[in-house]
C-alpha cells in the first residue's frame, strides 16, 4: 500500500500522543488495517488515557487490508516515517515490514500481533454537555499554568454560557471562555493526562464533560479522526 508519509506520521503521533521528541504515551500498539481503513484503539500504561483513531482508506494512494499489525516501538516507527517527504510504499512479508520511497528502505521486524495487548472495550459514555473549543486556547492555558508548576491539576468549571479553566491553589492561573451553547453547571478536575492530550491537539476540538467523569475530546480534520478519553482526578 502507498500513502503520503506525513499523513501517516501525523496520524500516529496524534493517536499515540507524541508529546515531544521521542516521548509517547502509547508505544506498543496494534494497527488494524481493516477493510474501511486504519483503525487504532490504544490505552496508556497508567490506564488514564484511551485513544481511538481512524484514517480512512481513501487517504491512501493505494490500500491493502492487512489485518492487525503489531508495533512494539512506536518511537522507532514514527521516526522512520519522518525521514520521508513524499509518498512511501509499505509492504508486509510474514513478520517484516518494508517501508520505501524507491530509494531509501527500512525493514522493521514485527512481533506477532497476539503479543500486543488489545485495549479493553469501553462501554458507551454519556455526557451532560458537549461544546467546541479552540485547542489553541487550551494549549496557551496549559503553557501559562506551567509557569506556576508543570504538575498542577486543571479544574474545569462550566456555567451557562461560560467555561473557566483554573490551575493552582495559592498562586493561580485562570482563563474564562464564552460558550454560548453551554447550559449546564459542571465541575471536574484533571491532572497531567489531560495536559499530555492537550499538547497534541490541533484546530477546533469537541469537548464532552460530566461531573467527576472522564472527559471526551474529539479532534477531526480532513485526513483523520482521533478521540481521547481522559480520566479525571479522584478526590
Amino acid at each position: 500500500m502507498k500513502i503520503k508519509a506525513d499523513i501517516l506520521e501525523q496520524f500516529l503521533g496524534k493517536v499515540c500522543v507524541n508529546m515531544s521528541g521521542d516521548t509517547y504515551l502509547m508505544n506498543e500498539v496494534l494497527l488494524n488495517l481493516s477493510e474501511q481503513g486504519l483503525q487504532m484503539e490504544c490505552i496508556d500504561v497508567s490506564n488514564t488515557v484511551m485513544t481511538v483513531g481512524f484514517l480512512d482508506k481513501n487517504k491512501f494512494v493505494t490500500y491493502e487490508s492487512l489485518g492487525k499489525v503489531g508495533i512494539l516501538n512506536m518511537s522507532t516507527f514514527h521516526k522512520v516515517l519522518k525521514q520521508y517527504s513524499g509518498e512511501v510504499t509499505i509492504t508486509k512479508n510474514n513478520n517484516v515490514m518494508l517501508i520505501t520511497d524507491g530509494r531509501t528502505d527500512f525493514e522493521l521486524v514485527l512481533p506477532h500481533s497476539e503479543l500486543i495487548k488489545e485495549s479493553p472495550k469501553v462501554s458507551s459514555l454519556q455526557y451532560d454537555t458537549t461544546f467546541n473549543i479552540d485547542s489553541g486556547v487550551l494549549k496557551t492555558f496549559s503553557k501559562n499554568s506551567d509557569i506556576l508548576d508543570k504538575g498542577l491539576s486543571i479544574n474545569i468549571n462550566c456555567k451557562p454560557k461560560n467555561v473557566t479553566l483554573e490551575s493552582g491553589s495559592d498562586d493561580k492561573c485562570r482563563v474564562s471562555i464564552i460558550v454560548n451553547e453551554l447550559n449546564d453547571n459542571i465541575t471536574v478536575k484533571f491532572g497531567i493526562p489531560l495536559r499530555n492530550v492537550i499538547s497534541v491537539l490541533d484546530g477546533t476540538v469537541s469537548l464532552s464533560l460530566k461531573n467527576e467523569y472522564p472527559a471526551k475530546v474529539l479532534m477531526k480534520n480532513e485526513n483523520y479522526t482521533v478521540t481521547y478519553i481522559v480520566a479525571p482526578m479522584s478526590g
Side-chain angles (χ1 to χ4, degrees):
M1 61 186 181
K2 184 181 291 187
I3 188 174
K4 289 183 178 180
D6 61 342
I7 292 178
L8 183 57
E9 177 260 315
Q10 290 167 15
F11 172 71
L12 295 174
K14 302 301 185 186
V15 175
C16 298
V17 191
N18 177 207
M19 297 170 289
S20 63
D22 300 332
T23 305
Y24 299 76
L25 273 189
M26 296 83 168
N27 217 26
E28 292 187 9
V29 299
L30 277 176
L31 310 180
N32 183 12
L33 292 154
S34 69
E35 292 183 0
Q36 292 75 37
L38 174 53
Q39 300 173 323
M40 296 178 67
E41 293 185 5
C42 312
I43 192 165
D44 75 322
V45 293
S46 68
N47 291 322
T48 55
V49 177
M50 180 177 182
T51 61
V52 179
F54 178 64
L55 178 60
D56 194 280
K57 67 179 181 181
N58 293 326
K59 300 304 176 181
F60 291 75
V61 180
T62 60
Y63 183 78
E64 182 181 0
S65 176
L66 299 176
K68 293 180 179 179
V69 178
I71 302 293
L72 274 178
N73 193 325
M74 178 52 66
S75 176
T76 298
F77 187 37
H78 203 218
K79 284 190 288 186
V80 165
L81 290 172
K82 286 184 175 180
Q83 306 313 304
Y84 298 102
S85 59
E87 296 176 353
V88 292
T89 298
I90 301 175
T91 55
K92 178 175 175 287
N93 183 14
N94 295 321
N95 70 326
V96 175
M97 176 183 286
L98 173 65
I99 306 171
T100 182
D101 62 356
R103 182 175 59 183
T104 301
D105 301 346
F106 282 93
E107 288 188 358
L108 303 179
V109 177
L110 303 172
H112 292 292
S113 60
E114 295 81 6
L115 296 179
I116 306 294
K117 184 180 179 181
E118 294 198 42
S119 298
K121 298 300 179 183
V122 177
S123 58
S124 179
L125 300 174
Q126 304 296 321
Y127 291 93
D128 290 336
T129 190
T130 297
F131 56 90
N132 292 332
I133 188 169
D134 182 354
S135 64
V137 173
L138 298 175
K139 285 186 172 183
T140 299
F141 170 77
S142 183
K143 181 179 179 180
N144 287 343
S145 61
D146 280 350
I147 296 172
L148 303 180
D149 187 340
K150 290 187 177 181
L152 285 175
S153 60
I154 297 177
N155 298 300
I156 302 180
N157 300 301
C158 298
K159 296 180 179 180
K161 301 188 183 305
N162 181 272
V163 58
T164 299
L165 309 177
E166 182 177 286
S167 283
S169 52
D170 295 327
D171 299 325
K172 297 181 187 295
C173 177
R174 183 186 303 111
V175 63
S176 295
I177 308 152
I178 295 174
V179 181
N180 289 322
E181 63 267 36
L182 189 56
N183 297 307
D184 299 280
N185 292 293
I186 296 171
T187 299
V188 60
K189 183 178 181 180
F190 298 94
I192 291 177
L194 181 59
R195 290 182 177 274
N196 292 336
V197 167
I198 288 173
S199 72
V200 299
L201 298 178
D202 287 321
T204 299
V205 299
S206 171
L207 179 60
S208 298
L209 297 170
K210 185 177 181 178
N211 282 316
E212 305 302 322
Y213 198 73
K216 181 173 76 172
V217 184
L218 173 63
M219 180 173 62
K220 186 175 183 178
N221 62 28
E222 62 181 4
N223 291 321
Y224 50 77
T225 300
V226 183
T227 300
Y228 304 89
I229 306 297
V230 186
M233 292 183 69
S234 59

